[in-house]
Amino acid sequence: MQSLIGELFFKAFDNPLLSQGHDSASLDLPLGKIAFTTDSYVVKPLFFPGGDIGSLAVHGTVNDLAVCGARPLYVSAAFIIEEGLEMETLWKIALSMGKAAEACSVRIATGDTKVVDKGKGDGLFINTAGIGVIEHPVPISPKQIKPGDRVIVSGDIGRHGIAIMAVRSGIDFETEIKSDSASIAPEAMALVSGGVQIKCMRDVTRGGLASVLNELAVSAEVSIEIDESAIPVREDVSAACELLGFDPLYVACEGRFVAVVHPDSTNLALQILGPKSRCIGEVQSQGEVAVWLKSCLGTRRVLALLSGEQLPRIC
Amino acid sequence: MQSLIGELFFKAFDNPLLSQGHDSASLDLPLGKIAFTTDSYVVKPLFFPGGDIGSLAVHGTVNDLAVCGARPLYVSAAFIIEEGLEMETLWKIALSMGKAAEACSVRIATGDTKVVDKGKGDGLFINTAGIGVIEHPVPISPKQIKPGDRVIVSGDIGRHGIAIMAVRSGIDFETEIKSDSASIAPEAMALVSGGVQIKCMRDVTRGGLASVLNELAVSAEVSIEIDESAIPVREDVSAACELLGFDPLYVACEGRFVAVVHPDSTNLALQILGPKSRCIGEVQSQGEVAVWLKSCLGTRRVLALLSGEQLPRIC
């Protein structure tokens, strides 16, 4: 079985690096600082509208590199397979992974497979680590965030989480809501090369927009005020959230990011990101750490960090 | 719980890279080709004589880099935790990982934690990816192997597998057999810097010495003849194998490697590796792909690749 699986991945990821047949891949990197990241994917179910665990595992790691201003180059792919997983399922996921990697211009450079006994896993877990190169001098980090900076979101939020929950709950919405799972690298790279004064970027995943904003507020030691009416949520997502009892601000995306930019760069950033993007708020005082939501009715409330996970195993 | 776990790892791995609080770690790499590798660890039990899943996850990935002639620099650490795992267990493992990383002179640069529901994992799985730098021009690869080359093993084999099986089977041997789990990077680096004409190196893990030799024979398209009497197996390991019904040639190590070297370099290599090491055989004809074992009685038989795993979840 081990060798069967090996062959399967070689075929699906077909590239000369994997054929080196060695314990590590040997890579020539361009000059520059390197970004290095890792994520495991335990999403349930393995397939969902708009993607699967394989494409998600590529996009997620590519996005973690891109929001640090790095151009994604290589990913690793490690599989923990529960005994009994259908070979056809694995094949579909591997193909989807190979396709996603190609679309993201990254190469799957190295991999690993472990099989665990039935009942000791859950079909399939995937880990991807990623290497990217930082080819510009712009310091992108929460520490750069200052009062007056604007907060931009790259597109409508909440679709990944709703796509997963729809499958899990078995509810049919009027329109099928597809995950937004995708690489945000082209958009992030375009902001950098377009001369936007980026302070920080972060992809919106587990915990949704509210969690990302809270993490940024804590790291930068600032307060952030967000305008509820400016936050892009599709009508069908909003309706689904209501039905399922979720707040869209806490629902995961997998193809959206937040960019905090110097106020002078706001319009340029919005122009580069296109009509899906919105300026949703601004950084306020340094010292007070909080995220404030100005509601559509004009009231102001703290957008707290959720204490638990609203949706476990969303990615 | 998520934030508790986060704090736990920050404490255990205490280093400035992790405190960047960013989606990727930003690293300055020395010039040279880069080696990149990944492995997941699903060993059962989590703790065993001589190590645990944490130290193993560091050593295994460090060793995959080192056998490619790379100096290990950075590892990632991703945890898939089954709900209900004791925090104290996780803490012990994280500490052990941090200690192993320090001993190996590598930094844990980036990490991830996922929690899966009870019954959907098995306590803990760890993935580590690793980055190393190749600072010399020696081409180390199975393709370099030629007839006449000598096969050297860096020390006695089979201890890791027996240490695990002893715990699993509940058998008490007269002496406790400890896993050999350790970094082989200093030894591999010493061979390179000592001027040994290395053709290829490979760490002996799953499937043991026999599997490594078979993999090398296939990749290099050669036959290899091994002298049974030269293979170092400790007496207690040999006795335990007999008791448990295993062939030590197929039992995993986690701190041993095979080096295939030019015949002129044999003595130099043995001298650098010290008295634990042995020259166990040589590469024969090109074209025929097989591993031959010359037994203590003078007979010659093919040392086949095992079709299944003799010991599942050994690493």
Side-chain angles (χ1 to χ4, degrees), chain A residues 21-28 33-37 39-40 64 78 112-114 117 127 140 202 206 313, chain B residues 21-28 33-37 39-40 64 78 112-114 117 127 140 202 206 313:
Chain A
H22 219 355
D23 285 317
S24 310
S26 165
L27 313 172
D28 279 306
K33 264 177 116 68
I34 293 303
F36 182 34
T37 189
D39 255 324
S40 300
D64 280 341
D112 177 56
T113 305
K114 293 288 185 307
D117 7 340
N127 176 281
I140 296 176
R202 185 145 300 180
R206 269 195 284 185
R313 299 189 60 185
Chain B
H22 219 355
D23 285 317
S24 309
S26 166
L27 314 172
D28 280 306
K33 263 176 116 69
I34 293 303
F36 182 34
T37 190
D39 255 324
S40 299
D64 280 341
D112 177 56
T113 305
K114 293 286 186 308
D117 6 341
N127 176 282
I140 296 176
R202 186 145 302 179
R206 268 197 283 186
R313 300 189 58 186

Side-chain angles (χ1 to χ4, degrees), chain A residues 238-313:
Chain A
S238 177
C241 278
E242 212 156 301
L243 192 69
L244 295 165
F246 292 128
D247 179 344
L249 295 180
Y250 291 91
V251 177
C253 317
E254 285 292 340
R256 299 288 178 254
F257 69 106
V258 163
V260 182
V261 304
H262 189 279
D264 294 348
S265 282
T266 315
N267 288 334
L268 178 58
L270 290 170
Q271 199 184 317
I272 290 172
L273 293 175
K276 306 184 290 32
S277 64
R278 292 280 183 288
C279 177
I280 59 170
E282 85 175 72
V283 179
Q284 297 192 321
S285 61
Q286 212 138 12
E288 186 207 35
V289 173
V291 179
W292 292 95
L293 183 77
K294 217 168 59 191
S295 79
C296 302
L297 307 168
T299 59
R300 203 167 173 263
R301 66 173 173 92
V302 165
L303 201 59
L305 194 64
L306 273 196
S307 52
E309 258 186 292
Q310 192 181 27
L311 303 169
R313 299 189 60 185

Side-chain angles (χ1 to χ4, degrees), chain A residues 1-2 19-29 31-42 44 63-68 74-80 109-117 119-122 125-127 129-131 134 140-143 200-203 206 219 307 309 313 315, chain B residues 1-2 19-29 31-42 44 63-68 74-80 109-117 119-122 125-127 129-131 134 140-143 200-203 206 219 307 309 313 315:
Chain A
M1 186 181 179
Q2 202 75 33
S19 325
Q20 289 173 348
H22 219 355
D23 285 317
S24 310
S26 165
L27 313 172
D28 279 306
L29 294 187
L31 280 179
K33 264 177 116 68
I34 293 303
F36 182 34
T37 189
T38 188
D39 255 324
S40 300
Y41 298 85
V42 299
K44 197 178 175 177
N63 291 350
D64 280 341
L65 294 171
V67 291
C68 294
Y74 298 104
V75 297
S76 62
F79 301 84
I80 298 176
T110 183
D112 177 56
T113 305
K114 293 288 185 307
V115 178
V116 297
D117 7 340
K120 300 298 182 186
D122 197 14
F125 302 140
I126 299 181
N127 176 281
I131 297 178
I134 302 168
I140 296 176
S141 140
K143 311 277 175 226
C200 190
M201 299 190 281
R202 185 145 300 180
D203 54 332
R206 269 195 284 185
S219 297
S307 52
E309 258 186 292
R313 299 189 60 185
C315 63
Chain B
M1 185 182 179
Q2 202 75 33
S19 325
Q20 290 173 347
H22 219 355
D23 285 317
S24 309
S26 166
L27 314 172
D28 280 306
L29 293 187
L31 281 178
K33 263 176 116 69
I34 293 303
F36 182 34
T37 190
T38 188
D39 255 324
S40 299
Y41 298 85
V42 299
K44 198 177 174 177
N63 291 351
D64 280 341
L65 295 170
V67 291
C68 294
Y74 298 103
V75 297
S76 62
F79 301 84
I80 298 177
T110 183
D112 177 56
T113 305
K114 293 286 186 308
V115 178
V116 297
D117 6 341
K120 300 297 182 187
D122 197 13
F125 302 141
I126 299 181
N127 176 282
I131 297 178
I134 303 168
I140 296 176
S141 140
K143 311 276 174 227
C200 190
M201 299 189 281
R202 186 145 302 179
D203 54 332
R206 268 197 283 186
S219 297
S307 52
E309 258 185 294
R313 300 189 58 186
C315 63

Side-chain angles (χ1 to χ4, degrees), chain B residues 25-26 41 50 89 97 113 123 152 176 188 197 209 213 257 272 283 298:
Chain B
S26 166
Y41 298 85
T89 304
M97 240 180 136
T113 305
I152 290 171
E176 188 191 48
Q197 296 173 62
L209 183 63
L213 295 173
F257 68 107
I272 290 172
V283 179

